[in-house]
Amino acid sequence: MAKSGNSKQGGFAERLSKNNVFLSVVALVLSLIVAGLVMLIAGYSPLEGYSAMFKGAFGSVDNLAQTLGTATPLIFAGLAMAFAARGGMFNIGIEGQIIAGAFPAALVGAYAQGLPWFVHIPLCFLAGMVGGGLWAALAGFLKNKLRVSEVILTIMLNYVAIYLAEYLANYQFKAEGMLVRTENVLPSAVLTPLIPYSRLTGGIFVALFFAVLMWWFLSRTTAGYQIRAIEANPYAAQAGGINIQRMNLVTMFLSGALAGMGGAVEVMGVHGYFITNMTSGYGFDGVAIAVMGRYSPLGTVVSAFIFGALRAGSTSMNRMTNIPGEFIQVLQALVILFVSTPGIVRMFLKKRRQKKEAQN
Amino acid sequence: MQDVLSVVTSLVAGSIRVSIPIAFAALGGTLSERSGIINMGLEGTMLIGAFFGAVGAYYTGSAWLGLLTAMFAGALCGLLHGILTIRFKCEHVLAGVGINVLASGLTVVLLQMIWQTKGKSAEVASFSNITVPGINQVPFLKDILGQVSPLLILLALSVLGVWFLLYRTVFGLRARVIGENPEAAGSMGINVYRTQYICVILCGVLAAIGGAYMSIGDIHMFSRDMVSGRGFIALAVVIFGGWHPVGAWLGSLLFGLAQSLQYRLQTGSIPPQLIQMLPYVATLIVLVFARGGKRRAPAAEGRHYYAKGEQ
């Protein structure tokens, strides 16, 4: 499949990041309005829904902790998508890479005995990075070999990862009991909650650190520059002596490594083991988050917090009203569509301005 | 011997049956990609088709009207994709991902609204097989094609129709030129946008028929996320079908074979997870071999075309 990198106005990441934050905010508001309309049509009260959502996300310290804790893996997922996009690739396989990172992290957490926590926890993160990175690099390798779009490859590998992990958790590494899961990780590999019984752990600082690291890598290192050059114009990059195939592989590995850390943080901070279905759509959240953050590390972190709030809020919305939590998916889809079509947002703004002028 | 034969015939019959939804979607994908639009939203469009097929059949009591509802919903999905990618220059992949996520959320919300459940719909009217006169007398063949779904016949007609449209009409020639070089097509006075809109809407209709087959052709209910990756597999089928309608059908049959083998193996001692993995691994493997062919993707696929005076 043809890459979009050679379209008229430069690569897609570049074009998106040129648009300002303002458009992202308007797109989010538009999405909330349209999703509210859908709620209304479906016979629910959007006001009730959104206020329940808001309370669920920010209503108390516990709620806030839940929001931040939910945002933690989402930051990793968003950074993974954003990083690949900055290198000119659509990594739609984040879900699979999270699993490919979570599984080895859970094994290292459960079976590497006698380590102090400050060795054990980084080791689990490392296992997650390697697992997720290799899974993504496999897609990169196949892309280079077959010249097939990475989109299809990463999606197929998602399904393979899901079933493979389910198989391993069901046979070789199954813990005692009814659940399809691995053994508990050892106490030395547990990220303890900062606020009791919440999902919020020190993992969030690791996530923020990696956001900074990604910014530094992309803007301050030669490899980062090369990756961005490929996205901006692959032909010029090649003419400039950059080995595109090798850099594609590096980009995919690092992108997958970020996703894999998201899996590791979930294992160590939330579940304490690998369990099937633990990723619950984080992959596509990552796409929405990165797009809304315009593929910049800072923007990605901010939108991961917003999506963390939406996710945490939608759980309590589902509990307090009877609005199905799947509304969050509708909202998420609208965010992707509105943010990636700045033209629609601009048209909307123009109409409003014209209306105002007509009133004056 | 008789046993082996019956296994083979049931395998072939099964392959044909399970290949139907993928074939419709791949056919649509082929048409849309030939005109330069990558429809990553096939998955979501199929899901919408499956859902509205069931909704239509539920309210009217007729599978045919259900199919019509699905086709209409699919056309809307195609139109939405067109507006996003053609009018607003959205990245094709993102438009597709958006449509997929939207479909996945919306169908569950509507499922809850109509049937008060998040799992599956009530039983709805569905297509019953029709007996093909002539073939049902021929030995062996009668076990495979003696009794077929009307949608299989529709599929055969659609393959023929898309082939005719692409290779035997002026419209098809124009669409193919646009897929290779939209600027050249535009400067020749071809209405690039109109042609692309028609292709992407037809693609939506075809994918939705494929989805509808799953809910009202094969079984008689919709269940949540029932498409489970077939739309993505269809995208791969477009590639190793060489962007040709007949290739798309043959490619789908290969998948059908992988999948009906999967059903057959499920009774054995192999862990079910490994068997469920089969269609996706098969896609990857087939992609490896498909690259030996000389066919290539339309040159302008996935690219945005800016008409004169447009920014």
Side-chain angles (χ1 to χ4, degrees):
Chain A
M1 272 191 203
K3 274 316 304 277
S4 41
N6 52 5
S7 68
K8 204 170 175 179
Q9 303 181 333
F12 59 88
E14 190 194 349
R15 204 179 330 145
L16 266 179
S17 52
K18 266 185 199 152
N19 296 299
N20 51 27
V21 179
F22 181 61
L23 282 178
S24 267
V25 175
V26 177
L28 178 65
V29 173
L30 268 181
S31 314
L32 285 168
I33 293 172
V34 176
L37 285 177
V38 176
M39 263 190 229
L40 203 64
I41 294 167
Y44 307 108
S45 153
L47 221 59
E48 215 176 286
Y50 281 139
S51 76
M53 213 185 235
F54 189 81
K55 263 185 223 145
F58 304 109
S60 66
V61 175
D62 285 344
N63 289 139
L64 195 63
Q66 208 61 13
T67 294
L68 294 176
T70 312
T72 307
L74 295 181
I75 295 175
F76 283 118
L79 290 177
M81 167 77 186
F83 188 87
R86 294 297 285 272
M89 281 195 278
F90 278 111
N91 182 2
I92 309 289
I94 296 164
E95 191 94 15
Q97 292 144 25
I98 293 176
I99 293 171
F103 202 86
L107 294 187
V108 171
Y111 298 113
Q113 281 170 343
L115 297 171
W117 66 268
F118 55 86
V119 175
H120 205 177
I121 290 174
L123 204 63
C124 289
F125 271 122
L126 192 68
M129 289 173 86
V130 172
L134 287 179
W135 201 250
L138 178 60
F141 170 77
L142 290 172
K143 176 193 163 76
N144 285 341
K145 274 265 163 280
L146 311 177
R147 305 194 175 281
V148 173
S149 157
E150 69 279 10
V151 176
I152 292 172
L153 297 171
T154 50
I155 287 174
M156 288 302 127
L157 286 174
N158 272 353
Y159 290 99
V160 177
I162 289 168
Y163 290 120
L164 188 63
E166 199 177 310
Y167 163 72
L168 291 173
N170 218 341
Y171 292 87
Q172 277 81 352
F173 300 103
K174 191 172 180 320
E176 290 288 313
M178 296 290 288
L179 292 173
V180 180
R181 69 174 184 90
T182 59
E183 293 289 348
N184 282 326
V185 297
L186 299 168
S188 55
V190 170
L191 291 166
T192 39
L194 298 178
I195 289 171
Y197 306 112
S198 78
R199 287 167 170 254
L200 180 60
T201 64
I204 195 161
F205 300 114
V206 182
L208 293 175
F209 173 73
F210 271 84
V212 176
L213 199 63
M214 173 174 150
W215 168 82
W216 173 80
F217 179 80
L218 283 174
S219 60
R220 294 285 184 274
T221 67
T222 314
Y225 172 77
Q226 291 187 339
I227 284 172
R228 285 185 296 129
I230 291 170
E231 189 273 326
N233 188 337
Y235 303 109
Q238 192 157 30
I242 297 172
N243 184 339
I244 293 192
Q245 295 212 341
R246 198 173 63 205
M247 286 321 275
N248 277 348
L249 216 54
V250 171
T251 307
M252 283 307 275
F253 179 85
L254 293 176
S255 168
L258 285 165
M261 290 187 76
V265 84
E266 280 289 278
V267 164
M268 290 186 286
V270 178
H271 301 282
Y273 42 77
F274 176 90
I275 182 161
T276 53
N277 299 328
M278 63 176 275
T279 50
S280 59
Y282 287 157
F284 284 114
D285 279 23
V287 176
I289 288 164
V291 172
M292 194 162 103
R294 312 261 182 218
Y295 305 129
S296 88
L298 178 65
T300 300
V301 168
V302 173
S303 33
F305 283 128
I306 294 171
F307 268 80
L310 289 174
R311 251 186 191 257
S314 76
T315 317
S316 60
M317 175 182 80
N318 195 19
R319 216 172 31 234
M320 300 202 309
T321 67
N322 52 2
I323 305 176
E326 278 74 13
F327 256 106
I328 186 102
Q329 272 181 305
V330 175
L331 192 63
Q332 193 181 320
L334 291 168
V335 169
I336 297 177
L337 294 178
F338 278 129
V339 178
S340 54
T341 48
I344 293 181
V345 179
R346 280 208 200 90
M347 200 172 72
F348 173 80
L349 289 172
K350 211 160 119 195
K351 279 220 177 96
R352 289 208 41 183
R353 211 175 302 135
Q354 281 166 352
K355 225 191 233 169
K356 255 191 197 150
E357 277 164 10
Q359 278 171 352
N360 289 341
Chain B
M1 187 62 204
Q2 201 62 35
D3 249 17
V4 175
L5 212 58
S6 81
V7 166
V8 169
T9 50
S10 84
L11 202 61
V12 173
S15 308
I16 292 173
R17 214 173 52 239
V18 292
S19 74
I20 293 174
I22 296 174
F24 271 114
L27 203 55
T30 300
L31 185 59
S32 144
E33 290 196 19
R34 284 314 282 262
S35 77
I37 309 275
I38 301 174
N39 194 345
M40 207 58 72
L42 284 180
E43 175 86 5
T45 310
M46 287 178 82
L47 194 63
I48 289 282
F51 181 77
F52 281 97
V55 169
Y58 178 69
Y59 283 116
T60 63
S62 150
W64 285 104
L65 290 177
L67 181 68
L68 219 58
T69 319
M71 288 165 75
F72 183 71
L76 286 182
C77 286
L79 180 64
L80 175 65
H81 192 279
I83 291 173
L84 292 167
T85 54
I86 301 168
R87 167 76 179 79
F88 289 105
K89 318 288 182 222
C90 180
E91 283 307 324
H92 295 193
V93 173
L94 290 180
V97 169
I99 287 174
N100 294 340
V101 178
L102 189 66
S104 166
L106 207 58
T107 48
V108 177
V109 169
L110 293 173
L111 199 61
Q112 168 94 10
M113 223 174 105
I114 297 174
W115 288 291
Q116 283 81 45
T117 144
K118 283 185 190 174
K120 44 177 83 117
S121 75
E123 262 193 33
V124 299
S126 65
F127 287 102
S128 39
N129 284 350
I130 49 179
T131 308
V132 185
I135 291 179
N136 69 337
Q137 305 297 326
V138 185
F140 309 128
L141 207 57
K142 75 175 194 297
D143 296 326
I144 298 169
L145 291 172
Q147 294 252 330
V148 296
S149 164
L151 292 187
L152 180 62
I153 296 165
L154 186 62
L155 173 63
L157 293 176
S158 303
V159 173
L160 209 67
V162 171
W163 173 81
F164 188 82
L165 187 69
L166 274 177
Y167 296 101
R168 288 292 179 273
T169 65
V170 177
F171 175 85
L173 179 64
R174 286 178 176 164
R176 285 184 289 134
V177 171
I178 292 168
E180 294 299 327
N181 190 340
E183 289 78 19
S187 68
M188 273 154 52
I190 296 172
N191 190 335
V192 174
Y193 292 157
R194 196 182 58 198
T195 312
Q196 287 186 325
Y197 268 117
I198 292 172
C199 287
V200 80
I201 287 172
L202 283 176
C203 166
V205 172
L206 286 166
I209 298 175
Y213 175 79
M214 299 186 66
S215 64
I216 56 175
D218 207 15
I219 53 174
H220 30 68
M221 65 175 66
F222 173 84
S223 72
R224 151 180 215 163
D225 288 325
M226 72 188 303
V227 176
S228 63
R230 286 179 181 77
F232 298 126
I233 291 180
L235 279 170
V237 168
V238 171
I239 296 174
F240 62 77
W243 290 270
H244 191 283
V246 177
W249 195 10
L250 294 177
S252 312
L253 282 171
L254 207 63
F255 263 94
L257 186 65
Q259 211 151 20
S260 61
L261 267 176
Q262 173 195 330
Y263 295 141
R264 196 149 278 280
L265 290 172
Q266 241 151 26
T267 47
S269 57
I270 305 168
Q273 294 85 1
L274 294 184
I275 296 166
Q276 281 169 304
M277 216 189 313
L278 203 68
Y280 311 105
V281 175
T283 311
L284 291 170
I285 292 173
V286 169
L287 279 175
V288 172
F289 290 110
R291 299 317 288 175
K294 57 180 190 287
R295 289 191 174 274
R296 55 167 189 84
E301 192 183 61
R303 228 177 68 195
H304 292 136
Y305 164 70
Y306 294 82
K308 238 185 204 158
E310 198 185 19
Q311 296 273 330

